[in-house]
Amino acid sequence: MKCLILYCSSHGTTAKAARILSEQLEGIVERVDLSKFRDPDLSTYDAVIIGGSIHAGNIQRKIKQFVNKNHDILLTKKLGFFLCCYRDGDEAKSQFENAFPADLRAVAKSEGLFGGEFIFADMNLIERIIIKKVAGVASDTSTFNVDSIKKFAQTFNQAS
Ligand SMILES: Cc1cc2nc3c(=O)[nH]c(=O)nc-3n(C[C@H](O)[C@H](O)[C@H](O)COP(=O)(O)O)c2cc1C
């Protein structure tokens, strides 16, 4: 089984999640940061896991574009989707549903919400102001959830 983890990460949290996930998955696992590298050729992979993070309610545009462009070939793969974001509960669920198409989610073997991080040193001034105002957070905060990543991997490894 050869698996591709494809992701976008604005400040590194999703990249960290992708790295931890790759260590938990069985078989050959490759990671590609879609914001830095060209679209990979999916034909060489049996499984594809796609992840991104939420900013102002939306996942990175590159992820959306990649999924739309490769929709039909993705339907032929063992699929998984994950998201990093600070909201939880129904709001996180709704952001997840908005991030990935319903028909692909319906056939996915694993879906995961891995929490999020606010690291003020990594943000620009505008981002700091937005986060203080919208999230009411003024210092570094983390809901990053390694257990969720491990559960995602376990479910994915066990699926055919
Ligand atoms: C400017 C900004 C806007 C954000 N907007 C949202 C949001 O609308 N909903 C949410 O759940 N999380 C939001 N977040 C939290 C991010 O999803 C979280 O920080 C995540 O860990 C970022 O992952 P990344 O570093 O891989 O991009 C926002 C973060 C920033 C900095």
Side-chain angles (χ1 to χ4, degrees), residues 7-16 52-58 60 84-88 91-92 95 115-119 122-124 126-128 130-131 134-135 141 143-144:
Y7 65 92
C8 277
S9 182
S10 303
H11 293 303
T13 304
T14 314
K16 181 166 73 173
S53 56
I54 296 289
H55 293 85
N58 287 299
Q60 285 87 354
C84 289
C85 62
Y86 86 89
R87 295 194 190 278
D88 58 10
E91 286 177 320
Q95 290 181 154
E117 294 178 307
F118 290 124
I119 302 168
D122 292 342
M123 294 181 204
N124 62 37
I126 304 283
E127 288 175 326
R128 288 177 198 196
I130 291 171
I131 291 310
V134 176
T141 308
T143 58
F144 190 68

Side-chain angles (χ1 to χ4, degrees), residues 69-130:
K69 196 170 139 195
N70 293 281
H71 176 273
D72 291 353
I73 188 166
L74 286 171
L75 273 176
T76 69
K77 306 291 177 185
K78 182 177 175 182
L79 274 183
F81 296 107
F82 72 89
L83 208 55
C84 289
C85 62
Y86 86 89
R87 295 194 190 278
D88 58 10
D90 286 346
E91 286 177 320
K93 197 167 166 261
S94 158
Q95 290 181 154
F96 188 91
E97 287 169 359
N98 181 43
F100 304 109
D103 61 339
L104 295 182
R105 283 189 280 110
V107 296
K109 304 296 182 187
S110 274
E111 296 183 336
L113 286 161
F114 296 163
E117 294 178 307
F118 290 124
I119 302 168
F120 278 77
D122 292 342
M123 294 181 204
N124 62 37
L125 184 62
I126 304 283
E127 288 175 326
R128 288 177 198 196
I129 292 168
I130 291 171

